[in-house]
PDB file of all heavy atoms in Angstrom:
ATOM      1  N   ASN A  18      -2.074   1.608 -17.966  1.00 94.00           N
ATOM      2  CA  ASN A  18      -1.595   0.670 -16.920  1.00 94.00           C
ATOM      3  C   ASN A  18      -2.354   0.804 -15.609  1.00 94.00           C
ATOM      4  O   ASN A  18      -1.725   0.689 -14.547  1.00 94.00           O
ATOM      5  CB  ASN A  18      -0.073   0.944 -16.653  1.00 94.00           C
ATOM      6  CG  ASN A  18       0.776   0.268 -17.688  1.00 94.00           C
ATOM      7  OD1 ASN A  18       0.398  -0.748 -18.259  1.00 94.00           O
ATOM      8  ND2 ASN A  18       1.995   0.792 -17.920  1.00 94.00           N
ATOM      9  N   VAL A  19      -3.612   1.047 -15.692  1.00 97.00           N
ATOM     10  CA  VAL A  19      -4.430   1.164 -14.477  1.00 97.00           C
ATOM     11  C   VAL A  19      -5.349  -0.049 -14.393  1.00 97.00           C
ATOM     12  O   VAL A  19      -6.050  -0.400 -15.330  1.00 97.00           O
ATOM     13  CB  VAL A  19      -5.217   2.393 -14.440  1.00 97.00           C
ATOM     14  CG1 VAL A  19      -6.212   2.469 -13.320  1.00 97.00           C
ATOM     15  CG2 VAL A  19      -4.332   3.689 -14.336  1.00 97.00           C
ATOM     16  N   LEU A  20      -5.261  -0.730 -13.185  1.00 98.00           N
ATOM     17  CA  LEU A  20      -6.197  -1.829 -12.936  1.00 98.00           C
ATOM     18  C   LEU A  20      -7.320  -1.259 -12.040  1.00 98.00           C
ATOM     19  O   LEU A  20      -6.994  -0.752 -10.951  1.00 98.00           O
ATOM     20  CB  LEU A  20      -5.445  -2.959 -12.257  1.00 98.00           C
ATOM     21  CG  LEU A  20      -6.360  -4.169 -11.827  1.00 98.00           C
ATOM     22  CD1 LEU A  20      -6.849  -4.852 -13.047  1.00 98.00           C
ATOM     23  CD2 LEU A  20      -5.524  -5.113 -10.905  1.00 98.00           C
ATOM     24  N   LYS A  21      -8.510  -1.363 -12.493  1.00 98.00           N
ATOM     25  CA  LYS A  21      -9.632  -0.861 -11.644  1.00 98.00           C
ATOM     26  C   LYS A  21     -10.140  -2.024 -10.802  1.00 98.00           C
ATOM     27  O   LYS A  21     -10.500  -3.099 -11.330  1.00 98.00           O
ATOM     28  CB  LYS A  21     -10.766  -0.349 -12.533  1.00 98.00           C
ATOM     29  CG  LYS A  21     -10.806   1.139 -12.539  1.00 98.00           C
ATOM     30  CD  LYS A  21     -12.042   1.642 -13.314  1.00 98.00           C
ATOM     31  CE  LYS A  21     -12.820   2.695 -12.702  1.00 98.00           C
ATOM     32  NZ  LYS A  21     -12.500   3.701 -11.914  1.00 98.00           N
ATOM     33  N   VAL A  22     -10.174  -1.805  -9.539  1.00 98.00           N
ATOM     34  CA  VAL A  22     -10.684  -2.798  -8.627  1.00 98.00           C
ATOM     35  C   VAL A  22     -11.696  -2.155  -7.630  1.00 98.00           C
ATOM     36  O   VAL A  22     -11.816  -2.551  -6.484  1.00 98.00           O
ATOM     37  CB  VAL A  22      -9.525  -3.483  -7.805  1.00 98.00           C
ATOM     38  CG1 VAL A  22      -8.737  -4.402  -8.690  1.00 98.00           C
ATOM     39  CG2 VAL A  22      -8.583  -2.435  -7.250  1.00 98.00           C
ATOM     40  N   ASP A  23     -12.471  -1.252  -8.276  1.00 98.00           N
ATOM     41  CA  ASP A  23     -13.494  -0.464  -7.498  1.00 98.00           C
ATOM     42  C   ASP A  23     -14.543  -1.290  -6.926  1.00 98.00           C
ATOM     43  O   ASP A  23     -15.187  -0.893  -5.921  1.00 98.00           O
ATOM     44  CB  ASP A  23     -14.102   0.527  -8.437  1.00 98.00           C
ATOM     45  CG  ASP A  23     -13.311   1.791  -8.639  1.00 98.00           C
ATOM     46  OD1 ASP A  23     -12.118   1.747  -8.186  1.00 98.00           O
ATOM     47  OD2 ASP A  23     -13.776   2.769  -9.171  1.00 98.00           O
ATOM     48  N   ASN A  27     -11.232  -0.617  -3.736  1.00 95.00           N
ATOM     49  CA  ASN A  27     -11.124   0.828  -3.327  1.00 95.00           C
ATOM     50  C   ASN A  27     -12.306   1.769  -3.761  1.00 95.00           C
ATOM     51  O   ASN A  27     -12.066   2.980  -3.913  1.00 95.00           O
ATOM     52  CB  ASN A  27      -9.742   1.449  -3.705  1.00 95.00           C
ATOM     53  CG  ASN A  27      -9.331   1.098  -5.111  1.00 95.00           C
ATOM     54  OD1 ASN A  27     -10.119   0.870  -5.988  1.00 95.00           O
ATOM     55  ND2 ASN A  27      -7.984   0.972  -5.265  1.00 95.00           N
ATOM     56  N   ILE A  57      -1.407   5.172   3.733  1.00 97.00           N
ATOM     57  CA  ILE A  57      -1.606   6.512   3.203  1.00 97.00           C
ATOM     58  C   ILE A  57      -3.079   6.643   2.711  1.00 97.00           C
ATOM     59  O   ILE A  57      -3.649   5.635   2.228  1.00 97.00           O
ATOM     60  CB  ILE A  57      -0.619   6.699   1.999  1.00 97.00           C
ATOM     61  CG1 ILE A  57      -0.762   8.131   1.399  1.00 97.00           C
ATOM     62  CG2 ILE A  57      -0.705   5.648   0.942  1.00 97.00           C
ATOM     63  CD1 ILE A  57       0.458   8.491   0.531  1.00 97.00           C
ATOM     64  N   SER A  60      -7.197   5.033  -0.077  1.00 95.00           N
ATOM     65  CA  SER A  60      -7.479   3.607  -0.240  1.00 95.00           C
ATOM     66  C   SER A  60      -6.634   2.658   0.639  1.00 95.00           C
ATOM     67  O   SER A  60      -7.021   1.492   0.764  1.00 95.00           O
ATOM     68  CB  SER A  60      -7.517   3.215  -1.696  1.00 95.00           C
ATOM     69  OG  SER A  60      -6.426   3.798  -2.402  1.00 95.00           O
ATOM     70  N   GLY A  61      -5.549   3.081   1.196  1.00 97.00           N
ATOM     71  CA  GLY A  61      -4.836   2.213   2.061  1.00 97.00           C
ATOM     72  C   GLY A  61      -5.531   2.001   3.436  1.00 97.00           C
ATOM     73  O   GLY A  61      -5.284   0.996   4.091  1.00 97.00           O
ATOM     74  N   LYS A  81      -2.849  13.444   2.904  1.00 92.00           N
ATOM     75  CA  LYS A  81      -2.490  14.247   1.733  1.00 92.00           C
ATOM     76  C   LYS A  81      -2.858  15.684   1.968  1.00 92.00           C
ATOM     77  O   LYS A  81      -3.963  15.937   2.431  1.00 92.00           O
ATOM     78  CB  LYS A  81      -3.137  13.738   0.453  1.00 92.00           C
ATOM     79  CG  LYS A  81      -2.575  12.351   0.040  1.00 92.00           C
ATOM     80  CD  LYS A  81      -3.324  11.741  -1.090  1.00 92.00           C
ATOM     81  CE  LYS A  81      -2.851  10.385  -1.358  1.00 92.00           C
ATOM     82  NZ  LYS A  81      -3.721   9.565  -2.182  1.00 92.00           N
ATOM     83  N   VAL A  96       4.836  13.285  -2.576  1.00 95.00           N
ATOM     84  CA  VAL A  96       4.406  12.012  -3.263  1.00 95.00           C
ATOM     85  C   VAL A  96       3.720  12.349  -4.556  1.00 95.00           C
ATOM     86  O   VAL A  96       2.724  13.054  -4.545  1.00 95.00           O
ATOM     87  CB  VAL A  96       3.552  11.130  -2.368  1.00 95.00           C
ATOM     88  CG1 VAL A  96       3.004   9.973  -3.185  1.00 95.00           C
ATOM     89  CG2 VAL A  96       4.231  10.631  -1.142  1.00 95.00           C
ATOM     90  N   LYS A  97       4.295  11.870  -5.668  1.00 91.00           N
ATOM     91  CA  LYS A  97       3.653  12.001  -6.937  1.00 91.00           C
ATOM     92  C   LYS A  97       2.553  11.049  -7.013  1.00 91.00           C
ATOM     93  O   LYS A  97       2.696   9.885  -6.615  1.00 91.00           O
ATOM     94  CB  LYS A  97       4.685  11.705  -8.069  1.00 91.00           C
ATOM     95  CG  LYS A  97       4.371  12.333  -9.294  1.00 91.00           C
ATOM     96  CD  LYS A  97       5.646  12.302 -10.209  1.00 91.00           C
ATOM     97  CE  LYS A  97       5.248  12.031 -11.607  1.00 91.00           C
ATOM     98  NZ  LYS A  97       6.403  11.899 -12.487  1.00 91.00           N
ATOM     99  N   SER A  98       1.378  11.472  -7.528  1.00 87.00           N
ATOM    100  CA  SER A  98       0.270  10.570  -7.628  1.00 87.00           C
ATOM    101  C   SER A  98       0.335   9.799  -8.911  1.00 87.00           C
ATOM    102  O   SER A  98       0.382  10.335 -10.003  1.00 87.00           O
ATOM    103  CB  SER A  98      -1.053  11.328  -7.496  1.00 87.00           C
ATOM    104  OG  SER A  98      -2.113  10.567  -8.049  1.00 87.00           O
ATOM    105  N   PHE A  99       0.267   8.457  -8.823  1.00 80.00           N
ATOM    106  CA  PHE A  99       0.269   7.634 -10.033  1.00 80.00           C
ATOM    107  C   PHE A  99      -1.036   7.865 -10.813  1.00 80.00           C
ATOM    108  O   PHE A  99      -0.960   8.004 -12.060  1.00 80.00           O
ATOM    109  CB  PHE A  99       0.406   6.152  -9.655  1.00 80.00           C
ATOM    110  CG  PHE A  99       0.368   5.272 -10.906  1.00 80.00           C
ATOM    111  CD1 PHE A  99       1.534   5.044 -11.602  1.00 80.00           C
ATOM    112  CD2 PHE A  99      -0.798   4.686 -11.256  1.00 80.00           C
ATOM    113  CE1 PHE A  99       1.476   4.234 -12.751  1.00 80.00           C
ATOM    114  CE2 PHE A  99      -0.861   3.906 -12.437  1.00 80.00           C
ATOM    115  CZ  PHE A  99       0.269   3.702 -13.154  1.00 80.00           C
ATOM    116  N   THR A 100      -2.123   7.900 -10.184  1.00 77.00           N
ATOM    117  CA  THR A 100      -3.369   7.905 -10.860  1.00 77.00           C
ATOM    118  C   THR A 100      -3.811   9.356 -11.301  1.00 77.00           C
ATOM    119  O   THR A 100      -4.510   9.503 -12.290  1.00 77.00           O
ATOM    120  CB  THR A 100      -4.477   7.254 -10.023  1.00 77.00           C
ATOM    121  OG1 THR A 100      -4.321   7.558  -8.665  1.00 77.00           O
ATOM    122  CG2 THR A 100      -4.514   5.748 -10.222  1.00 77.00           C
ATOM    123  N   ASP A 124      -0.135  -0.831   1.796  1.00 98.00           N
ATOM    124  CA  ASP A 124      -0.862  -0.021   0.745  1.00 98.00           C
ATOM    125  C   ASP A 124      -1.574  -0.904  -0.216  1.00 98.00           C
ATOM    126  O   ASP A 124      -1.291  -2.140  -0.263  1.00 98.00           O
ATOM    127  CB  ASP A 124       0.073   0.967   0.021  1.00 98.00           C
ATOM    128  CG  ASP A 124      -0.612   2.143  -0.591  1.00 98.00           C
ATOM    129  OD1 ASP A 124      -1.853   2.337  -0.347  1.00 98.00           O
ATOM    130  OD2 ASP A 124       0.043   2.903  -1.308  1.00 98.00           O
ATOM    131  N   ASP A 125      -2.540  -0.347  -0.927  1.00 98.00           N
ATOM    132  CA  ASP A 125      -3.318  -1.167  -1.816  1.00 98.00           C
ATOM    133  C   ASP A 125      -2.511  -1.601  -3.097  1.00 98.00           C
ATOM    134  O   ASP A 125      -2.506  -2.712  -3.500  1.00 98.00           O
ATOM    135  CB  ASP A 125      -4.624  -0.462  -2.244  1.00 98.00           C
ATOM    136  CG  ASP A 125      -4.432   0.871  -2.936  1.00 98.00           C
ATOM    137  OD1 ASP A 125      -3.307   1.502  -2.801  1.00 98.00           O
ATOM    138  OD2 ASP A 125      -5.342   1.391  -3.588  1.00 98.00           O
ATOM    139  N   PHE A 126      -1.787  -0.620  -3.666  1.00 98.00           N
ATOM    140  CA  PHE A 126      -1.014  -0.891  -4.960  1.00 98.00           C
ATOM    141  C   PHE A 126       0.402  -0.498  -4.757  1.00 98.00           C
ATOM    142  O   PHE A 126       0.731   0.468  -4.047  1.00 98.00           O
ATOM    143  CB  PHE A 126      -1.595  -0.050  -6.069  1.00 98.00           C
ATOM    144  CG  PHE A 126      -2.787  -0.693  -6.804  1.00 98.00           C
ATOM    145  CD1 PHE A 126      -4.056  -0.428  -6.409  1.00 98.00           C
ATOM    146  CD2 PHE A 126      -2.539  -1.513  -7.872  1.00 98.00           C
ATOM    147  CE1 PHE A 126      -5.122  -1.002  -7.074  1.00 98.00           C
ATOM    148  CE2 PHE A 126      -3.621  -2.102  -8.546  1.00 98.00           C
ATOM    149  CZ  PHE A 126      -4.902  -1.874  -8.112  1.00 98.00           C
ATOM    150  N   LEU A 127       1.342  -1.216  -5.437  1.00 98.00           N
ATOM    151  CA  LEU A 127       2.638  -0.787  -5.584  1.00 98.00           C
ATOM    152  C   LEU A 127       2.849  -0.714  -7.134  1.00 98.00           C
ATOM    153  O   LEU A 127       2.793  -1.736  -7.843  1.00 98.00           O
ATOM    154  CB  LEU A 127       3.646  -1.757  -4.942  1.00 98.00           C
ATOM    155  CG  LEU A 127       5.113  -1.398  -5.077  1.00 98.00           C
ATOM    156  CD1 LEU A 127       5.435  -0.086  -4.518  1.00 98.00           C
ATOM    157  CD2 LEU A 127       5.974  -2.491  -4.364  1.00 98.00           C
ATOM    158  N   ALA A 128       3.104   0.526  -7.632  1.00 97.00           N
ATOM    159  CA  ALA A 128       3.246   0.712  -9.053  1.00 97.00           C
ATOM    160  C   ALA A 128       4.682   1.209  -9.286  1.00 97.00           C
ATOM    161  O   ALA A 128       5.601   0.416  -9.448  1.00 97.00           O
ATOM    162  CB  ALA A 128       2.193   1.637  -9.578  1.00 97.00           C
ATOM    163  N   LYS A 129       4.813   2.516  -9.298  1.00 97.00           N
ATOM    164  CA  LYS A 129       6.160   3.087  -9.541  1.00 97.00           C
ATOM    165  C   LYS A 129       6.958   3.288  -8.163  1.00 97.00           C
ATOM    166  O   LYS A 129       8.095   3.676  -8.228  1.00 97.00           O
ATOM    167  CB  LYS A 129       6.073   4.415 -10.249  1.00 97.00           C
ATOM    168  CG  LYS A 129       5.504   4.162 -11.678  1.00 97.00           C
ATOM    169  CD  LYS A 129       5.724   5.282 -12.641  1.00 97.00           C
ATOM    170  CE  LYS A 129       5.379   4.832 -14.036  1.00 97.00           C
ATOM    171  NZ  LYS A 129       5.556   5.972 -15.004  1.00 97.00           N
ATOM    172  N   GLY A 130       6.253   3.127  -7.110  1.00 98.00           N
ATOM    173  CA  GLY A 130       6.935   3.191  -5.805  1.00 98.00           C
ATOM    174  C   GLY A 130       6.891   4.606  -5.231  1.00 98.00           C
ATOM    175  O   GLY A 130       7.469   4.861  -4.131  1.00 98.00           O
ATOM    176  N   TYR A 131       6.167   5.574  -5.801  1.00 97.00           N
ATOM    177  CA  TYR A 131       6.180   6.911  -5.296  1.00 97.00           C
ATOM    178  C   TYR A 131       5.625   6.973  -3.848  1.00 97.00           C
ATOM    179  O   TYR A 131       6.157   7.606  -2.953  1.00 97.00           O
ATOM    180  CB  TYR A 131       5.383   7.897  -6.124  1.00 97.00           C
ATOM    181  CG  TYR A 131       5.795   7.989  -7.619  1.00 97.00           C
ATOM    182  CD1 TYR A 131       4.830   8.044  -8.614  1.00 97.00           C
ATOM    183  CD2 TYR A 131       7.138   8.036  -8.012  1.00 97.00           C
ATOM    184  CE1 TYR A 131       5.180   8.140  -9.944  1.00 97.00           C
ATOM    185  CE2 TYR A 131       7.457   8.206  -9.335  1.00 97.00           C
ATOM    186  CZ  TYR A 131       6.456   8.200 -10.307  1.00 97.00           C
ATOM    187  OH  TYR A 131       6.829   8.293 -11.638  1.00 97.00           O
ATOM    188  N   ALA A 132       4.435   6.420  -3.715  1.00 97.00           N
ATOM    189  CA  ALA A 132       3.778   6.462  -2.396  1.00 97.00           C
ATOM    190  C   ALA A 132       4.646   5.794  -1.349  1.00 97.00           C
ATOM    191  O   ALA A 132       4.855   6.323  -0.220  1.00 97.00           O
ATOM    192  CB  ALA A 132       2.456   5.794  -2.483  1.00 97.00           C
ATOM    193  N   MET A 133       5.223   4.647  -1.683  1.00 98.00           N
ATOM    194  CA  MET A 133       6.041   3.888  -0.750  1.00 98.00           C
ATOM    195  C   MET A 133       7.238   4.688  -0.348  1.00 98.00           C
ATOM    196  O   MET A 133       7.654   4.784   0.846  1.00 98.00           O
ATOM    197  CB  MET A 133       6.408   2.569  -1.355  1.00 98.00           C
ATOM    198  CG  MET A 133       6.743   1.486  -0.424  1.00 98.00           C
ATOM    199  SD  MET A 133       5.713   1.447   1.018  1.00 98.00           S
ATOM    200  CE  MET A 133       4.149   0.962   0.214  1.00 98.00           C
ATOM    201  N   LYS A 156       2.050  -4.178  -9.289  1.00 98.00           N
ATOM    202  CA  LYS A 156       2.151  -4.293 -10.731  1.00 98.00           C
ATOM    203  C   LYS A 156       3.616  -4.479 -11.084  1.00 98.00           C
ATOM    204  O   LYS A 156       4.442  -3.550 -11.131  1.00 98.00           O
ATOM    205  CB  LYS A 156       1.567  -2.972 -11.351  1.00 98.00           C
ATOM    206  CG  LYS A 156       0.029  -2.938 -11.192  1.00 98.00           C
ATOM    207  CD  LYS A 156      -0.604  -1.855 -11.946  1.00 98.00           C
ATOM    208  CE  LYS A 156      -0.164  -0.546 -11.338  1.00 98.00           C
ATOM    209  NZ  LYS A 156      -0.758   0.659 -12.043  1.00 98.00           N
ATOM    210  N   GLN A 159       5.947  -2.651 -13.451  1.00 98.00           N
ATOM    211  CA  GLN A 159       6.413  -1.255 -13.167  1.00 98.00           C
ATOM    212  C   GLN A 159       7.542  -1.359 -12.106  1.00 98.00           C
ATOM    213  O   GLN A 159       7.680  -2.337 -11.494  1.00 98.00           O
ATOM    214  CB  GLN A 159       5.290  -0.383 -12.718  1.00 98.00           C
ATOM    215  CG  GLN A 159       4.253  -0.171 -13.837  1.00 98.00           C
ATOM    216  CD  GLN A 159       3.008   0.559 -13.514  1.00 98.00           C
ATOM    217  OE1 GLN A 159       2.338   0.309 -12.535  1.00 98.00           O
ATOM    218  NE2 GLN A 159       2.610   1.495 -14.338  1.00 98.00           N
ATOM    219  N   GLY A 161       8.423  -0.019  -9.179  1.00 98.00           N
ATOM    220  CA  GLY A 161       8.363   0.240  -7.731  1.00 98.00           C
ATOM    221  C   GLY A 161       8.891  -0.934  -6.869  1.00 98.00           C
ATOM    222  O   GLY A 161       9.642  -0.759  -5.977  1.00 98.00           O
ATOM    223  N   MET A 181      -0.620  -6.857 -18.070  1.00 98.00           N
ATOM    224  CA  MET A 181      -2.078  -6.747 -18.292  1.00 98.00           C
ATOM    225  C   MET A 181      -2.288  -5.975 -19.567  1.00 98.00           C
ATOM    226  O   MET A 181      -1.407  -5.211 -20.038  1.00 98.00           O
ATOM    227  CB  MET A 181      -2.788  -6.066 -17.100  1.00 98.00           C
ATOM    228  CG  MET A 181      -2.275  -4.732 -16.734  1.00 98.00           C
ATOM    229  SD  MET A 181      -3.077  -4.179 -15.223  1.00 98.00           S
ATOM    230  CE  MET A 181      -2.842  -2.349 -15.438  1.00 98.00           C
TER     231      MET A 181
HETATM  232  P1  LIG B 201       2.974   4.325  -6.902  1.00 50.92           P
HETATM  233  O1  LIG B 201       3.115   5.426  -5.950  1.00 50.92           O
HETATM  234  O2  LIG B 201       3.667   3.014  -6.451  1.00 50.92           O
HETATM  235  O3  LIG B 201       3.326   4.669  -8.248  1.00 50.92           O
HETATM  236  O4  LIG B 201       1.389   3.935  -6.992  1.00 50.92           O
HETATM  237  C1  LIG B 201       0.746   3.514  -5.848  1.00 50.92           C
HETATM  238  C2  LIG B 201      -0.474   4.347  -5.575  1.00 50.92           C
HETATM  239  O5  LIG B 201      -1.167   4.724  -6.755  1.00 50.92           O
HETATM  240  C3  LIG B 201      -1.434   3.535  -4.758  1.00 50.92           C
HETATM  241  O6  LIG B 201      -1.605   4.161  -3.504  1.00 50.92           O
HETATM  242  C4  LIG B 201      -2.726   3.444  -5.519  1.00 50.92           C
HETATM  243  O7  LIG B 201      -3.731   4.186  -4.926  1.00 50.92           O
HETATM  244  C5  LIG B 201      -2.405   4.140  -6.842  1.00 50.92           C
HETATM  245  N1  LIG B 201      -2.341   3.165  -7.978  1.00 50.92           N
HETATM  246  C6  LIG B 201      -1.221   2.866  -8.695  1.00 50.92           C
HETATM  247  N2  LIG B 201      -1.512   2.003  -9.659  1.00 50.92           N
HETATM  248  C7  LIG B 201      -2.866   1.811  -9.605  1.00 50.92           C
HETATM  249  C8  LIG B 201      -3.763   0.941 -10.347  1.00 50.92           C
HETATM  250  O8  LIG B 201      -3.438   0.262 -11.333  1.00 50.92           O
HETATM  251  N3  LIG B 201      -5.060   0.959  -9.999  1.00 50.92           N
HETATM  252  C9  LIG B 201      -5.508   1.691  -8.929  1.00 50.92           C
HETATM  253  N4  LIG B 201      -6.793   1.585  -8.586  1.00 50.92           N
HETATM  254  N5  LIG B 201      -4.665   2.439  -8.159  1.00 50.92           N
HETATM  255  C10 LIG B 201      -3.383   2.500  -8.496  1.00 50.92           C
END
Side-chain angles (χ1 to χ4, degrees):
N18 278 334
V19 172
L20 177 67
K21 254 187 137 29
V22 285
D23 277 11
N27 46 31
I57 182 166
S60 40
K81 290 174 185 164
V96 172
K97 201 164 145 186
S98 160
F99 177 84
T100 36
D124 203 6
D125 59 343
F126 274 91
L127 180 58
K129 297 198 168 177
Y131 303 139
M133 204 42 65
K156 292 189 291 179
Q159 292 174 314
M181 58 187 203

